[in-house]
Amino acid sequence: MLRCLIVDDSRRFLDAARGLLESQGMAVVGVASTGAEALRQVEELRPDVTLVDLDLGGESGFEVARRLEHDVGPPPRMILISTHDEQDYADLIAASPAVGFLPKSALSAVAIRRLLNGAADHEETGAPVSEPRDT
């Protein structure tokens, strides 16, 4: 079972995402609303994947992801999430330590697993790691 930590400043979203992912067979081992909480939770819980919102109120999710990469060993696999369009942040997402990006509207256990598997494929083939969009 995939163990997940969700980092978002909205209690409402945290509750909804937890319920959704747990109903789809993931274990949400913790939630955090700030970068400091995320660092503590990752260090303590060692999740398989950490979902990090791009906008954490006064904090940047990109900065939180960088701190998780450098301040926690070994760094967790991270997926950036947001209500914002991926194209608005494409360069920052690509430069981040995250394995990819998911819009909050597309969040699901299947999408997370697909992205994590895609990250492994990316290392082998150089293929993009963002969630494919329906066209």
Side-chain angles (χ1 to χ4, degrees):
M1 181 177 287
L2 200 59
R3 300 173 68 253
C4 176
L5 172 72
I6 307 169
V7 184
D8 195 289
D9 63 328
S10 167
R11 174 55 57 188
R12 189 173 173 181
F13 176 77
L14 289 171
D15 292 342
R18 171 178 269 193
L20 172 73
L21 296 176
E22 287 179 344
S23 74
Q24 296 175 351
M26 289 187 72
V28 177
V29 295
V31 296
S33 297
T34 67
E37 287 178 10
L39 285 166
R40 281 192 303 273
Q41 295 272 353
V42 167
E43 191 72 48
E44 179 182 325
L45 301 171
R46 299 288 180 200
D48 298 315
V49 63
T50 301
L51 306 178
V52 181
D53 187 22
L54 294 182
D55 182 9
L56 294 170
E59 289 183 276
S60 162
F62 294 109
E63 180 57 32
V64 170
R66 281 189 285 281
R67 286 173 44 208
L68 288 170
E69 177 188 38
H70 295 292
D71 297 349
V72 177
R77 293 187 296 174
M78 292 174 275
I79 295 174
L80 297 170
I81 59 173
S82 183
T83 56
H84 297 284
D85 188 70
E86 177 179 8
Q87 295 311 311
D88 295 341
Y89 297 96
D91 291 339
L92 291 170
I93 292 168
S96 79
V99 298
F101 173 87
L102 278 174
K104 286 183 178 180
S105 60
L107 186 65
S108 71
V110 169
I112 290 168
R113 285 186 183 97
R114 189 177 299 143
L115 243 181
L116 293 174
N117 290 337
D121 293 343
H122 172 73
E123 290 173 4
E124 293 175 17
T125 66
V129 294
S130 292
E131 179 68 7
R133 299 203 190 284
D134 294 332
T135 54

